Amino acid sequence: MEILPISVDSYNLGFIGAGKMAESIAKGIVQSGLLPASRISTAVHSNPSRGIAFGSFGVRVLPKNDNVVEESDVIIFSVKPQVVKNVVLKLRPQLSTKKLLVSVAAGVKLQDLQEWAGHNRFIRVMPNTPAAVGEAASVMSLGEGALKEDGQLIAKLFGSVGKIWEADEKLFDAITGLSGSGPAYIFLAIEALADGGVAAGLPRELAMGLASQTVLGAASMVSKTGKHPGQLKDDVTSPGGTTIAGIHELEKGGLRGMFMNAVVAAAKRGQELGPK
C-alpha cells in the first residue's frame, strides 16, 4: 500500500499519555496558533486532574486511547519508557501506515518502536518541557518508513514550540542527558542564584526575578551573538573585580565538572530505561 503524506491543513493530533511532557507540547502548540485545540485529543485513565489540565486549554479528553488513535492522523506516544511497549502493542491493530507515529519516550529506540507497531512510519523526538512556553529544544530522528513530508510536518509541529534539530538516533541518550533533563539543572541553578541573592540581603521576590532574567538574558546572548560562552564570560570579567571573585568560588566548587557529570549520568540512565 502506497503511503501518502498527511494533509498539513486538516490533520488531527493525538497524545497517548497525558503527563506533563504531553501537556507542555500540546499547550505550546495551541498557544502558537499552529493547531486549534479542537484538533488535539488525549485520554486520561487514572488521574482526573490530568484531564482537567488538558481541558483547561481546550484539548478534547476522550474515554480511551483507542478513541484517540481512531480520531488522529498524527499520534504522539508520551508515556513512561517502561510501559511504552505494552501501550504500543495494545494499540497495534489500529496503527496503520495511514497514521504517522511519534515517540517522545526516553531510551526507547526506533527499531523496537517499529517492531511493536508493525510498521516503520515512525519518528522519534526528544523534546523538553520549555515547550509549554514556546522555548523547547527538540531533536528528531526519522524511522525507515517516514516520508520526507512526515519529517517536515514534525519539524513544523515541534518548531512551533521552540527549536528543533535532526540527528542520528545513536546520539539520543546524550541528547536526553543534555536538553531532555537540562531544564531541571537550570531550574536548580536559578533557585541557587536566588538563594544567594537572599543571603546577600535581597528580598526573595526580587532575587528570583533577577536570577531568572539573568539566566534568560545570558542564554539569549549565547544564541543570538554566536560568541563562545567563554568569550562572553571573559567580556564581563574585569581584573580583580566582583565577577572573577564569584567565578573563582564556582571553580573551587567544581561547577563545570558537576554539570558535565549530570549530563553523563542522565544519558547513562536513559540507556538503562530502555526495554531490555
PDB file of all heavy atoms in Angstrom, residues 251-274:
ATOM      1  N   GLU A 251      34.535  27.788  40.482  1.00  0.00           N
ATOM      2  CA  GLU A 251      35.571  26.862  40.034  1.00  0.00           C
ATOM      3  C   GLU A 251      36.100  26.014  41.194  1.00  0.00           C
ATOM      4  O   GLU A 251      36.355  24.817  41.037  1.00  0.00           O
ATOM      5  CB  GLU A 251      36.723  27.638  39.378  1.00  0.00           C
ATOM      6  CG  GLU A 251      36.345  28.369  38.091  1.00  0.00           C
ATOM      7  CD  GLU A 251      36.147  27.438  36.903  1.00  0.00           C
ATOM      8  OE1 GLU A 251      36.040  26.210  37.079  1.00  0.00           O
ATOM      9  OE2 GLU A 251      36.082  27.956  35.768  1.00  0.00           O
ATOM     10  N   LYS A 252      36.244  26.628  42.363  1.00  0.00           N
ATOM     11  CA  LYS A 252      36.688  25.859  43.532  1.00  0.00           C
ATOM     12  C   LYS A 252      35.674  24.782  43.895  1.00  0.00           C
ATOM     13  O   LYS A 252      36.034  23.696  44.370  1.00  0.00           O
ATOM     14  CB  LYS A 252      36.913  26.788  44.730  1.00  0.00           C
ATOM     15  CG  LYS A 252      38.168  27.635  44.648  1.00  0.00           C
ATOM     16  CD  LYS A 252      38.528  28.245  45.993  1.00  0.00           C
ATOM     17  CE  LYS A 252      37.532  29.288  46.427  1.00  0.00           C
ATOM     18  NZ  LYS A 252      37.949  29.961  47.700  1.00  0.00           N
ATOM     19  N   GLY A 253      34.392  25.065  43.663  1.00  0.00           N
ATOM     20  CA  GLY A 253      33.343  24.098  43.966  1.00  0.00           C
ATOM     21  C   GLY A 253      33.154  23.042  42.891  1.00  0.00           C
ATOM     22  O   GLY A 253      32.345  22.122  43.069  1.00  0.00           O
ATOM     23  N   GLY A 254      33.856  23.177  41.785  1.00  0.00           N
ATOM     24  CA  GLY A 254      33.773  22.169  40.724  1.00  0.00           C
ATOM     25  C   GLY A 254      32.505  22.246  39.896  1.00  0.00           C
ATOM     26  O   GLY A 254      31.982  21.220  39.450  1.00  0.00           O
ATOM     27  N   LEU A 255      31.984  23.453  39.663  1.00  0.00           N
ATOM     28  CA  LEU A 255      30.706  23.611  38.964  1.00  0.00           C
ATOM     29  C   LEU A 255      30.722  22.978  37.572  1.00  0.00           C
ATOM     30  O   LEU A 255      29.788  22.271  37.195  1.00  0.00           O
ATOM     31  CB  LEU A 255      30.352  25.098  38.847  1.00  0.00           C
ATOM     32  CG  LEU A 255      29.011  25.382  38.155  1.00  0.00           C
ATOM     33  CD1 LEU A 255      27.850  24.975  39.054  1.00  0.00           C
ATOM     34  CD2 LEU A 255      28.892  26.851  37.764  1.00  0.00           C
ATOM     35  N   ARG A 256      31.764  23.220  36.803  1.00  0.00           N
ATOM     36  CA  ARG A 256      31.828  22.665  35.441  1.00  0.00           C
ATOM     37  C   ARG A 256      31.735  21.141  35.466  1.00  0.00           C
ATOM     38  O   ARG A 256      30.965  20.535  34.720  1.00  0.00           O
ATOM     39  CB  ARG A 256      33.144  23.062  34.762  1.00  0.00           C
ATOM     40  CG  ARG A 256      33.310  24.538  34.476  1.00  0.00           C
ATOM     41  CD  ARG A 256      34.729  24.774  33.969  1.00  0.00           C
ATOM     42  NE  ARG A 256      35.081  26.166  33.897  1.00  0.00           N
ATOM     43  CZ  ARG A 256      35.155  26.855  32.757  1.00  0.00           C
ATOM     44  NH1 ARG A 256      34.899  26.266  31.621  1.00  0.00           N
ATOM     45  NH2 ARG A 256      35.483  28.129  32.766  1.00  0.00           N
ATOM     46  N   GLY A 257      32.531  20.541  36.329  1.00  0.00           N
ATOM     47  CA  GLY A 257      32.541  19.087  36.426  1.00  0.00           C
ATOM     48  C   GLY A 257      31.198  18.531  36.861  1.00  0.00           C
ATOM     49  O   GLY A 257      30.764  17.480  36.376  1.00  0.00           O
ATOM     50  N   MET A 258      30.522  19.234  37.770  1.00  0.00           N
ATOM     51  CA  MET A 258      29.213  18.769  38.228  1.00  0.00           C
ATOM     52  C   MET A 258      28.188  18.797  37.106  1.00  0.00           C
ATOM     53  O   MET A 258      27.391  17.868  36.949  1.00  0.00           O
ATOM     54  CB  MET A 258      28.748  19.601  39.423  1.00  0.00           C
ATOM     55  CG  MET A 258      29.474  19.267  40.713  1.00  0.00           C
ATOM     56  SD  MET A 258      28.729  20.032  42.167  1.00  0.00           S
ATOM     57  CE  MET A 258      29.189  21.742  41.908  1.00  0.00           C
ATOM     58  N   PHE A 259      28.182  19.856  36.308  1.00  0.00           N
ATOM     59  CA  PHE A 259      27.259  19.915  35.178  1.00  0.00           C
ATOM     60  C   PHE A 259      27.575  18.814  34.164  1.00  0.00           C
ATOM     61  O   PHE A 259      26.666  18.149  33.651  1.00  0.00           O
ATOM     62  CB  PHE A 259      27.331  21.292  34.497  1.00  0.00           C
ATOM     63  CG  PHE A 259      26.398  22.314  35.081  1.00  0.00           C
ATOM     64  CD1 PHE A 259      26.881  23.535  35.537  1.00  0.00           C
ATOM     65  CD2 PHE A 259      25.037  22.076  35.156  1.00  0.00           C
ATOM     66  CE1 PHE A 259      26.015  24.484  36.066  1.00  0.00           C
ATOM     67  CE2 PHE A 259      24.159  23.019  35.678  1.00  0.00           C
ATOM     68  CZ  PHE A 259      24.659  24.226  36.151  1.00  0.00           C
ATOM     69  N   MET A 260      28.858  18.621  33.869  1.00  0.00           N
ATOM     70  CA  MET A 260      29.238  17.571  32.927  1.00  0.00           C
ATOM     71  C   MET A 260      28.836  16.196  33.444  1.00  0.00           C
ATOM     72  O   MET A 260      28.288  15.369  32.702  1.00  0.00           O
ATOM     73  CB  MET A 260      30.752  17.627  32.680  1.00  0.00           C
ATOM     74  CG  MET A 260      31.200  18.866  31.919  1.00  0.00           C
ATOM     75  SD  MET A 260      33.012  19.055  31.881  1.00  0.00           S
ATOM     76  CE  MET A 260      33.475  17.657  30.871  1.00  0.00           C
ATOM     77  N   ASN A 261      29.073  15.953  34.728  1.00  0.00           N
ATOM     78  CA  ASN A 261      28.710  14.667  35.321  1.00  0.00           C
ATOM     79  C   ASN A 261      27.203  14.439  35.307  1.00  0.00           C
ATOM     80  O   ASN A 261      26.727  13.309  35.127  1.00  0.00           O
ATOM     81  CB  ASN A 261      29.224  14.580  36.759  1.00  0.00           C
ATOM     82  CG  ASN A 261      30.737  14.445  36.828  1.00  0.00           C
ATOM     83  OD1 ASN A 261      31.386  14.077  35.836  1.00  0.00           O
ATOM     84  ND2 ASN A 261      31.317  14.749  37.980  1.00  0.00           N
ATOM     85  N   ALA A 262      26.435  15.516  35.500  1.00  0.00           N
ATOM     86  CA  ALA A 262      24.973  15.404  35.478  1.00  0.00           C
ATOM     87  C   ALA A 262      24.487  14.955  34.105  1.00  0.00           C
ATOM     88  O   ALA A 262      23.624  14.071  34.001  1.00  0.00           O
ATOM     89  CB  ALA A 262      24.334  16.747  35.844  1.00  0.00           C
ATOM     90  N   VAL A 263      25.042  15.539  33.049  1.00  0.00           N
ATOM     91  CA  VAL A 263      24.644  15.163  31.685  1.00  0.00           C
ATOM     92  C   VAL A 263      24.998  13.705  31.404  1.00  0.00           C
ATOM     93  O   VAL A 263      24.181  12.930  30.875  1.00  0.00           O
ATOM     94  CB  VAL A 263      25.312  16.091  30.651  1.00  0.00           C
ATOM     95  CG1 VAL A 263      25.037  15.596  29.229  1.00  0.00           C
ATOM     96  CG2 VAL A 263      24.812  17.516  30.816  1.00  0.00           C
ATOM     97  N   VAL A 264      26.198  13.298  31.781  1.00  0.00           N
ATOM     98  CA  VAL A 264      26.644  11.922  31.534  1.00  0.00           C
ATOM     99  C   VAL A 264      25.804  10.923  32.337  1.00  0.00           C
ATOM    100  O   VAL A 264      25.403   9.870  31.827  1.00  0.00           O
ATOM    101  CB  VAL A 264      28.141  11.772  31.869  1.00  0.00           C
ATOM    102  CG1 VAL A 264      28.573  10.318  31.791  1.00  0.00           C
ATOM    103  CG2 VAL A 264      28.989  12.618  30.916  1.00  0.00           C
ATOM    104  N   ALA A 265      25.500  11.262  33.601  1.00  0.00           N
ATOM    105  CA  ALA A 265      24.698  10.366  34.437  1.00  0.00           C
ATOM    106  C   ALA A 265      23.288  10.215  33.887  1.00  0.00           C
ATOM    107  O   ALA A 265      22.727   9.110  33.867  1.00  0.00           O
ATOM    108  CB  ALA A 265      24.652  10.895  35.873  1.00  0.00           C
ATOM    109  N   ALA A 266      22.690  11.322  33.428  1.00  0.00           N
ATOM    110  CA  ALA A 266      21.340  11.256  32.870  1.00  0.00           C
ATOM    111  C   ALA A 266      21.335  10.472  31.555  1.00  0.00           C
ATOM    112  O   ALA A 266      20.400   9.721  31.276  1.00  0.00           O
ATOM    113  CB  ALA A 266      20.789  12.659  32.655  1.00  0.00           C
ATOM    114  N   ALA A 267      22.385  10.643  30.745  1.00  0.00           N
ATOM    115  CA  ALA A 267      22.485   9.893  29.496  1.00  0.00           C
ATOM    116  C   ALA A 267      22.577   8.391  29.775  1.00  0.00           C
ATOM    117  O   ALA A 267      21.920   7.575  29.118  1.00  0.00           O
ATOM    118  CB  ALA A 267      23.703  10.359  28.701  1.00  0.00           C
ATOM    119  N   LYS A 268      23.365   8.039  30.768  1.00  0.00           N
ATOM    120  CA  LYS A 268      23.509   6.629  31.144  1.00  0.00           C
ATOM    121  C   LYS A 268      22.189   6.069  31.642  1.00  0.00           C
ATOM    122  O   LYS A 268      21.799   4.946  31.310  1.00  0.00           O
ATOM    123  CB  LYS A 268      24.577   6.490  32.233  1.00  0.00           C
ATOM    124  CG  LYS A 268      24.826   5.052  32.665  1.00  0.00           C
ATOM    125  CD  LYS A 268      25.913   4.978  33.730  1.00  0.00           C
ATOM    126  CE  LYS A 268      26.137   3.534  34.174  1.00  0.00           C
ATOM    127  NZ  LYS A 268      27.151   3.456  35.250  1.00  0.00           N
ATOM    128  N   ARG A 269      21.466   6.862  32.437  1.00  0.00           N
ATOM    129  CA  ARG A 269      20.173   6.418  32.942  1.00  0.00           C
ATOM    130  C   ARG A 269      19.181   6.248  31.801  1.00  0.00           C
ATOM    131  O   ARG A 269      18.334   5.350  31.820  1.00  0.00           O
ATOM    132  CB  ARG A 269      19.638   7.410  33.973  1.00  0.00           C
ATOM    133  CG  ARG A 269      18.317   7.007  34.614  1.00  0.00           C
ATOM    134  CD  ARG A 269      18.402   5.659  35.290  1.00  0.00           C
ATOM    135  NE  ARG A 269      17.161   5.287  35.927  1.00  0.00           N
ATOM    136  CZ  ARG A 269      16.792   4.040  36.183  1.00  0.00           C
ATOM    137  NH1 ARG A 269      17.590   3.035  35.837  1.00  0.00           N
ATOM    138  NH2 ARG A 269      15.645   3.783  36.776  1.00  0.00           N
ATOM    139  N   GLY A 270      19.275   7.094  30.786  1.00  0.00           N
ATOM    140  CA  GLY A 270      18.421   6.960  29.610  1.00  0.00           C
ATOM    141  C   GLY A 270      18.634   5.627  28.918  1.00  0.00           C
ATOM    142  O   GLY A 270      17.671   4.979  28.472  1.00  0.00           O
ATOM    143  N   GLN A 271      19.891   5.190  28.833  1.00  0.00           N
ATOM    144  CA  GLN A 271      20.187   3.879  28.264  1.00  0.00           C
ATOM    145  C   GLN A 271      19.556   2.765  29.091  1.00  0.00           C
ATOM    146  O   GLN A 271      19.004   1.799  28.566  1.00  0.00           O
ATOM    147  CB  GLN A 271      21.694   3.656  28.210  1.00  0.00           C
ATOM    148  CG  GLN A 271      22.420   4.557  27.223  1.00  0.00           C
ATOM    149  CD  GLN A 271      23.926   4.349  27.285  1.00  0.00           C
ATOM    150  OE1 GLN A 271      24.511   4.132  28.335  1.00  0.00           O
ATOM    151  NE2 GLN A 271      24.584   4.419  26.124  1.00  0.00           N
ATOM    152  N   GLU A 272      19.608   2.904  30.407  1.00  0.00           N
ATOM    153  CA  GLU A 272      19.088   1.875  31.313  1.00  0.00           C
ATOM    154  C   GLU A 272      17.572   1.772  31.266  1.00  0.00           C
ATOM    155  O   GLU A 272      17.010   0.699  31.498  1.00  0.00           O
ATOM    156  CB  GLU A 272      19.534   2.176  32.757  1.00  0.00           C
ATOM    157  CG  GLU A 272      21.029   2.107  32.952  1.00  0.00           C
ATOM    158  CD  GLU A 272      21.465   2.651  34.308  1.00  0.00           C
ATOM    159  OE1 GLU A 272      20.624   3.245  35.017  1.00  0.00           O
ATOM    160  OE2 GLU A 272      22.655   2.476  34.667  1.00  0.00           O
ATOM    161  N   LEU A 273      16.890   2.887  30.952  1.00  0.00           N
ATOM    162  CA  LEU A 273      15.434   2.896  30.952  1.00  0.00           C
ATOM    163  C   LEU A 273      14.826   2.203  29.740  1.00  0.00           C
ATOM    164  O   LEU A 273      13.651   1.856  29.745  1.00  0.00           O
ATOM    165  CB  LEU A 273      14.917   4.340  31.019  1.00  0.00           C
ATOM    166  CG  LEU A 273      15.046   5.043  32.358  1.00  0.00           C
ATOM    167  CD1 LEU A 273      14.605   6.502  32.235  1.00  0.00           C
ATOM    168  CD2 LEU A 273      14.227   4.340  33.422  1.00  0.00           C
ATOM    169  N   GLY A 274      15.621   2.034  28.704  1.00  0.00           N
ATOM    170  CA  GLY A 274      15.098   1.386  27.502  1.00  0.00           C
ATOM    171  C   GLY A 274      14.704  -0.051  27.763  1.00  0.00           C
ATOM    172  O   GLY A 274      15.167  -0.676  28.715  1.00  0.00           O
TER     173      GLY A 274
END
